[in-house]
Amino acid sequence: MKVIITGGAGYIGSHVCLAVHRSGHTPVIIDNFSNSSPACVRRLGELIDDVVECHNVDVCDAGMLNDVFAAVLPGAVIHCAGLKAVGESFADPLHYYEKNILGAVNVLRAMDVVGTSRVIFSSSATVYGDPEYLPYDEQHRLAPENPYGRTKLFIEHLIHDWDKAGKNRSAVLLRYFNPIGAHPSGLIGEDPNDFPNNLMPYILDVAAGKRPDLKVFGDDYQTPDGTGVRDYIHVEDLADGHVAALGYAVRHTGVGTFNLGTGRGYSVLEVIAAFERASNRQIPYEVVARRAGDIAEFFADASKASETFGWSPNRDLDRMCADAWNWRVKNPNGYSE
Ligand code: UFG
């Protein structure tokens, strides 16, 4: 089956492409390269020893999107394309609503035109907002606290409505926790366009000597060591979760919603220690004020995905750090060759 992966040249999408290929399906990428690189598509080709079909198209361009769908006739779509920086979404919410929601509408419409009935959507744990209890299960109240998260939740609603309006449609909403790590080959990984907003890309910059020290955002949270706790998941495990979800979508109709996390939280200081072990580098850090909008702690109840479609993550934090560092050592400038 041909599977269109929107945002397939991005950090998560590229790992999903490989997993889709490993599962015996044919990935077809749609990407506008706004936060990704054509070099990634070439590297994917090296990894699968074949050319990966890729269309340089923005999902907001309905006309071009429809043309690609008509040519590919996908059996399923994995919709990863979208804007994802929380801070930027506060600064320019209209841009986030426009790009993320219009993109999703266009993808669903393009599917309808060619009769594709299965979609897997990249949602986020940010849809839960401030935890009422932990771990978050899929029944937890949905109250995202930033515009980015609200676009993810709107799209979840949109997909529910789309599903109800037609027959034999299937959709899987995957709520990601904190993906880090890289493919063990070191050929693909995370290559942020600008200043690193997230913990692991920043640690990699410090380890590589590009920045003097890590700023730890607060050590006075109600957590065991006072620093923020997150559920980090290896991007390869996350990608495997998409393939398991795809199998589920083939066997079921309706909408299923699943957390993709490990169920285990680690503090910032624990991540630093694991990274130091994996890389043999020191990560100097300075504790600074809390980052506005951060939550003290969250992690997943990931049992539903395991019970429903047999997916469970198996790469630990040391492995996540080792693979992230391997990617960085082999590609000091990311995809810029
Ligand atoms: N942190 C630091 N210093 C940094 C960067 C992060 O101390 O330079 C801390 C944060 O305060 C937090 C933890 O590291 O405690 C993780 O922060 P990230 O920015 O890596 O990740 P977040 O949990 O804040 O956000 C991520 C994604 C969002 C998504 C959210 C919920 O980036 O897109 O998880 O799923 F919405």
Side-chain angles (χ1 to χ4, degrees):
M1 168 169 75
K2 283 190 172 181
V3 180
I4 284 187
I5 300 158
T6 69
Y11 171 47
I12 293 170
S14 57
H15 290 82
V16 170
C17 283
L18 281 187
V20 164
H21 176 262
R22 277 197 299 272
S23 73
H25 298 300
T26 307
V28 177
I29 295 175
I30 293 181
D31 205 299
N32 69 351
F33 298 109
S34 62
N35 188 23
S36 59
S37 163
C40 173
V41 181
R42 289 195 290 278
R43 305 264 186 104
L44 286 173
E46 275 178 52
L47 283 164
I48 70 173
D49 206 14
D50 200 354
V51 174
V52 179
E53 184 176 338
C54 175
H55 301 268
N56 184 347
V57 166
D58 187 328
V59 288
C60 290
D61 184 335
M64 284 183 78
L65 196 66
N66 288 343
D67 289 347
V68 174
F69 273 66
V72 174
L73 298 176
V77 175
I78 301 180
H79 180 43
C80 299
L83 302 175
K84 59 168 190 175
V86 173
E88 195 181 67
S89 78
F90 278 112
D92 197 352
L94 295 183
H95 186 52
Y96 268 66
Y97 280 96
E98 182 184 356
K99 286 285 179 185
N100 287 358
I101 295 182
L102 181 60
V105 169
N106 287 347
V107 166
L108 293 171
R109 214 191 281 288
M111 289 173 59
D112 282 353
V113 171
V114 297
T116 305
S117 59
R118 304 175 189 119
V119 64
I120 315 292
F121 173 58
S122 300
S123 189
S124 166
T126 199
V127 297
Y128 295 121
D130 215 2
E132 286 184 336
Y133 56 84
L134 285 171
Y136 290 129
D137 57 29
E138 290 83 353
Q139 304 306 316
H140 189 280
R141 179 186 59 130
L142 301 173
E145 291 184 349
N146 55 71
Y148 155 71
R150 282 188 279 275
T151 69
K152 290 289 179 190
L153 183 55
F154 269 56
I155 298 168
E156 289 198 6
H157 289 312
L158 179 64
I159 290 176
H160 276 282
D161 290 337
W162 168 83
D163 173 71
K164 283 195 211 99
K167 281 209 179 91
N168 297 323
R169 290 176 171 170
S170 53
V172 182
L173 312 176
L174 297 177
R175 294 181 179 152
Y176 303 164
F177 281 69
N178 289 55
I180 58 171
H183 189 266
S185 64
L187 279 172
I188 59 169
E190 186 171 15
D191 183 18
N193 251 353
D194 36 34
F195 189 80
N197 292 308
N198 298 112
L199 180 61
M200 183 53 76
Y202 205 106
I203 288 181
L204 292 172
D205 273 3
V206 175
K210 195 171 161 191
R211 298 179 199 281
D213 59 6
L214 173 72
K215 309 293 178 202
V216 174
F217 298 141
D219 66 351
D220 55 353
Y221 286 108
Q222 293 288 327
T223 59
D225 65 22
T227 65
V229 168
R230 296 289 182 273
D231 184 339
Y232 297 94
I233 175 169
H234 197 297
V235 66
E236 285 270 284
D237 279 325
L238 189 84
D240 289 341
H242 290 69
V243 170
L246 185 59
Y248 177 80
V250 168
R251 295 186 304 273
H252 296 81
T253 54
V255 182
T257 305
F258 300 92
N259 287 336
L260 292 185
T262 66
R264 165 87 158 86
Y266 288 96
S267 72
V268 176
L269 298 185
E270 286 175 309
V271 174
I272 294 173
F275 187 88
E276 289 183 337
R277 279 196 302 277
S279 65
N280 261 321
R281 299 262 167 143
Q282 286 287 109
I283 303 298
Y285 68 85
E286 178 196 0
V287 177
V288 297
R290 292 180 178 192
R291 182 171 62 179
D294 264 359
I295 289 170
E297 172 172 42
F298 64 82
F299 47 93
D301 175 344
S303 58
K304 188 177 170 198
S306 151
E307 284 156 15
T308 313
F309 48 67
W311 169 85
S312 46
N314 55 38
R315 295 159 178 94
D316 64 15
L317 183 62
D318 289 357
R319 174 82 187 272
M320 299 177 211
C321 292
D323 286 339
W325 181 231
N326 178 50
W327 152 253
R328 179 57 178 245
V329 167
K330 291 189 171 145
N331 307 273
N333 301 312
Y335 286 112
S336 317
E337 286 163 343

